[in-house]
Amino acid sequence: MCGIVGAVAQRNITPILLEGLKRLEYRGYDSCGVALHVDGQLQRSRSTSRVADLEHQIEEAHLKGFTGIAHTRWATHGAPASHNAHPHFSPSTDNARIALVHNGIIENHDELRVELTALGYVFQSQTDTEVIAHLVDHMYNGDLFDTVQHAVKRLTGAYAIAVFSREEPHRVVAARQGSPLIVGLGNGENFVASDAMALAGTTDQIIYLEEGDVVDLQLGRVWIVDSNGKQVQRDVKTVQAHTGAAELGPYRHYMQKEIFEQPRVIGDTLEGVTGIMPELFGDGAYNVFKQIDRVLILACGTSYYSGLTAKYWIESVAKIPVNVEIASEYRYRDSVPHPNTLVVTISQSGETADTLAGLKHARSLGMEHTLTICNVATSAMVRECKLAYITRAGVEVGVASTKAFTTQLAALFLLTLSLAQVNGRLTDAEEANHLKAMRHLPVAISAVLALEPQIIAWAEDFARKENALFLGRGMHYPIALEGALKLKEISYIHAEAYPAGELKHGPLALVTEEMPVVTVAPNDTLIEKLKSNMQEVRARGGQLYVFADVDSRITSGEGVHVIRLPEHYGLLSPILHVVSLQLLAYHSAVARGTDVDKPRNLAKSVTVE
Ligand code: G6P
């Protein structure tokens, strides 16, 4: 992944680059760096700590410049060490000529490395990025724009790059193929960045570069060519990007704040929904919903689990068959396409590389009916899909997704009802009841949040464990999966989820007195089956931590700990139960002292495959 910012201006740009990096840290935070053109030389500062540390280094060194690039890294090739941090220089001498930052993966980096080493280039890092820097230097002909256009033809893989040369002090050249990049137009100054948010407050005049574009940024001029070298005009959009500079308020971490924002953001996401109608998803949705007879959901990570939950809803309520696929699998497997499929992508960021590629793959197979549930209205996902529902979770800072997930579920429930309506499977009375339940969600979630003190007490136990199992059945099985994912990603406790009926087919072998088994136990039609599964755990000494409903009729006893959610919430119950699991993961991580908002090795937005 990684985040890129670059600028050509007539003022010191270090504050703009540093602010941009802070806002791009969601794309990775293994290291960061800035390179500037200073008095005819390239100078850089790099850090394996956070941007605040880099800022300190830059202040100490009095580093200032009018032209430069900056980068925040999520390591792919080479450890998160300072010699692997971007920007990379070429040649690797005191008098470097080229500085370059990169987001993506260069697949032919090995052969290029061999070629460039034979030419005498000395590599300082293990990154695939350094080969691009040396390649650009090797091909440099005094015109960086022309050079980069030729150099990128040698690259296989995905990239967004920004590069500048010691010899052309007022020029930054950038290019993209498979990784996002935008241009920001200022007054006599120009910028490039991985997203518009990085430039919020600097400019709102944004050009979204297209695949294969190469852009020449000079002081009063922006020139774009496409992959054929032909000059192109791209639309300039006015983008009111949110700065993401949300205050923590009374909370200790953004994740906690975002968990507690859920009543409000679900209300926001459902605001204006006065009735169920396909047009909630965009003009022409009725005709699309009328034509389709199956649904294919593509997503990654937490968004994939919201898709799995939606499968239970759509098949049960709208009676339309649903296939949910992990996008990185779908894009490469041989599948059997069907033109009457509604392809639904789910994404918080709207820029996850695998989900975007999965969408394109589906389209290439002739499936043209595309819809996205997405949290970023200006994202590639929304631009690429015909229909969209924009969730209104607001900026999610914590890497572990919480409010984005529950707002996705709210939107997916609306989709379920809209499909059911078009399919003649929703009576007026049912519509009214569902709408009433949805409107009451903020209150119901607040009641779950009030259970925090009880959950903190459980988290103290969890913090001492190294493994945990999560069980659920039916539409709460994806919620168990999401609970396990939350716990492992922020507390580093190994956690796995199973449909409770599968316990006896393997995971029961792991159950001892040391094994906490979290059970999602709403009072639904499967509750008695689930109770039998819980007995299987107890018979092996396993410790049950049960999230029940007010009327699940499960009582605490030896080895059985119960927290009761105040309401049983029918079809929408997954939205309530996941909140309790988010709190459990959060407080377990806090008790273990991990970096909750920026867990190791992860990133918020995954723009490489
Ligand atoms: C990363 C994030 C997850 C997210 C996943 C998919 O792994 O850490 O929280 O669920 O990407 O991201 P998307 O933006 O497509 O929902």
Side-chain angles (χ1 to χ4, degrees):
M1 283 86 71
C2 312
I4 289 174
V5 204
V8 183
Q10 283 177 301
R11 54 175 166 150
N12 175 28
I13 54 164
T14 50
I16 295 171
L17 297 182
L18 289 167
E19 188 57 39
L21 287 188
K22 283 180 196 160
R23 295 187 196 150
L24 289 172
E25 268 189 312
Y26 74 91
R27 305 172 71 90
Y29 38 79
D30 287 333
S31 64
C32 50
V34 165
L36 294 162
H37 198 283
V38 183
D39 301 331
Q41 299 293 318
L42 303 187
Q43 289 204 15
R44 74 180 158 189
S45 181
R46 298 183 288 180
S47 168
T48 49
S49 291
R50 298 286 155 76
V51 178
D53 177 67
L54 179 70
E55 192 167 17
H56 185 65
Q57 281 184 37
I58 286 176
E59 265 168 33
E60 297 239 300
H62 304 292
L63 203 54
K64 290 182 180 160
F66 293 179
T67 302
I69 54 179
H71 187 266
T72 179
R73 177 169 189 246
W74 185 78
T76 57
H77 297 63
S82 69
H83 65 279
N84 287 326
H86 304 209
H88 288 284
F89 278 2
S90 182
S92 319
T93 60
D94 288 344
N95 199 20
R97 179 162 68 168
I98 298 295
L100 183 138
V101 290
H102 164 226
N103 167 28
I105 291 178
I106 302 304
E107 288 170 359
N108 59 338
H109 70 101
D110 276 337
E111 66 187 69
L112 289 171
R113 185 180 282 254
V114 170
E115 184 182 322
L116 290 158
T117 304
L119 287 166
Y121 283 96
V122 178
F123 282 79
Q124 306 283 340
S125 77
Q126 286 85 45
T127 63
D128 51 342
T129 303
E130 195 181 354
V131 298
I132 321 177
H134 293 320
L135 183 68
V136 171
D137 183 72
H138 168 57
M139 296 176 75
Y140 189 62
N141 59 10
D143 180 342
L144 190 64
F145 188 43
D146 183 67
T147 304
V148 170
Q149 287 178 61
H150 287 96
V152 293
K153 298 258 182 286
R154 300 281 325 272
L155 305 178
T156 311
Y159 56 82
I161 57 170
V163 47
F164 71 105
S165 163
R166 185 190 66 209
E167 293 174 12
E168 296 174 78
H170 302 293
R171 184 179 227 185
V172 168
V173 174
R176 71 156 285 196
Q177 179 69 51
S179 299
L181 203 61
I182 60 106
V183 169
L185 306 177
N187 195 0
E189 54 187 20
N190 291 304
F191 310 90
V192 64
S194 295
D195 73 22
M197 192 170 75
L199 301 178
T202 300
T203 178
D204 61 1
Q205 297 300 293
I206 302 295
I207 295 172
Y208 290 89
L209 293 177
E210 294 188 10
E211 294 290 56
D213 283 356
V214 184
V215 58
D216 183 13
L217 303 177
Q218 298 192 35
L219 281 172
R221 171 182 187 271
V222 167
W223 191 268
I224 304 172
V225 294
D226 65 14
S227 55
N228 299 316
K230 188 167 154 280
Q231 197 225 331
V232 282
Q233 298 292 336
R234 302 281 181 228
D235 292 347
V236 180
K237 302 210 157 95
T238 303
V239 176
Q240 301 301 337
H242 196 291
T243 61
E247 295 298 327
L248 261 182
Y251 300 101
R252 193 162 159 194
H253 297 98
Y254 282 102
M255 181 176 177
Q256 187 188 26
K257 175 173 187 271
E258 288 158 5
I259 290 171
F260 276 81
E261 277 174 353
Q262 289 176 111
R264 180 175 59 75
V265 295
I266 291 223
D268 290 349
T269 296
L270 298 175
E271 193 184 289
V273 179
T274 50
I276 298 303
M277 60 198 88
E279 284 67 29
L280 290 170
F281 297 86
D283 291 345
Y286 177 82
N287 286 336
V288 171
F289 291 2
K290 207 66 199 156
Q291 283 175 56
I292 58 104
D293 55 20
R294 62 196 66 193
V295 174
L296 168 65
I297 298 181
L298 303 173
C300 302
T302 287
S303 299
Y304 170 69
Y305 295 145
S306 72
L308 279 185
T309 314
K311 176 183 170 76
Y312 285 88
W313 283 339
I314 297 172
E315 294 203 343
S316 156
V317 180
K319 308 290 179 206
I320 298 173
V322 181
N323 191 15
V324 192
E325 301 234 16
I326 291 175
S328 57
E329 284 296 309
Y330 174 74
R331 63 183 287 194
Y332 290 120
R333 80 178 184 85
D334 287 331
S335 53
V336 182
H338 194 289
N340 294 347
T341 303
L342 178 65
V343 180
V344 179
T345 60
I346 308 172
S347 178
Q348 186 286 125
S349 62
E351 61 170 23
T352 302
D354 282 320
T355 311
L356 280 167
L359 169 69
K360 285 180 190 152
H361 181 62
R363 271 206 315 246
S364 75
L365 296 175
M367 292 182 280
E368 288 297 332
H369 302 306
T370 55
L371 182 156
T372 189
I373 307 286
C374 187
N375 197 40
V376 180
T378 52
S379 65
M381 203 77 73
V382 177
R383 295 197 303 273
E384 295 274 337
C385 286
K386 284 192 183 150
L387 303 172
Y389 195 92
I390 309 298
T391 51
R392 289 178 56 197
V395 175
E396 195 178 56
V397 178
V399 164
S401 185
T402 52
K403 60 178 182 169
F405 180 70
T406 46
T407 53
Q408 285 168 355
L409 288 178
L412 286 162
F413 196 68
L414 282 179
L415 177 64
T416 302
L417 299 182
S418 302
L419 289 170
Q421 188 184 60
V422 173
N423 236 7
R425 302 218 174 240
L426 189 72
T427 64
D428 289 351
E430 285 164 340
E431 176 182 345
N433 280 340
H434 288 311
L435 279 173
K436 193 169 157 214
M438 293 186 87
R439 282 198 202 101
H440 182 63
L441 267 173
V443 174
I445 295 173
S446 300
V448 179
L449 292 170
L451 299 172
E452 190 179 35
Q454 293 175 56
I455 296 174
I456 291 174
W458 281 13
E460 302 292 331
D461 288 353
F462 274 75
R464 289 190 292 272
K465 304 288 182 189
E466 288 308 324
N467 297 287
L469 278 179
F470 284 66
L471 302 179
R473 294 196 77 137
M475 61 186 177
H476 292 86
Y477 164 53
I479 297 309
L481 284 166
E482 171 62 6
L485 175 64
K486 285 287 86 85
L487 188 69
K488 75 183 114 185
E489 65 185 339
I490 58 169
S491 74
Y492 315 147
I493 296 170
H494 171 232
E496 288 188 66
Y498 281 88
E502 274 291 292
L503 197 59
K504 52 191 172 291
H505 297 296
L508 204 50
L510 297 171
V511 173
T512 65
E513 285 173 10
E514 285 305 302
M515 179 66 88
V517 181
V518 180
T519 311
V520 187
N523 184 31
D524 60 15
T525 52
L526 292 168
I527 187 69
E528 294 309 323
K529 305 271 180 215
L530 188 69
K531 284 180 185 169
S532 305
N533 304 137
M534 288 162 56
Q535 290 304 327
E536 293 160 13
V537 172
R538 275 307 296 142
R540 276 86 187 168
Q543 300 291 306
L544 285 165
Y545 292 82
V546 186
F547 286 103
D549 284 345
V550 67
D551 41 17
S552 298
R553 295 187 310 283
I554 300 172
T555 44
S556 301
E558 200 192 333
V560 185
H561 314 265
V562 181
I563 290 180
R564 237 172 272 286
L565 272 61
E567 282 183 82
H568 176 64
Y569 221 73
L571 279 173
L572 290 167
S573 163
I575 299 183
L576 298 197
H577 271 276
V578 78
V579 173
S580 58
L581 300 185
Q582 293 167 349
L583 285 170
L584 180 63
Y586 170 72
H587 285 292
S588 302
V590 169
R592 283 167 77 99
T594 61
D595 189 348
V596 174
D597 286 331
K598 290 195 170 70
R600 70 182 177 209
N601 306 340
L602 301 181
K604 182 82 193 144
S605 182
V606 183
T607 58
V608 291
E609 72 167 299

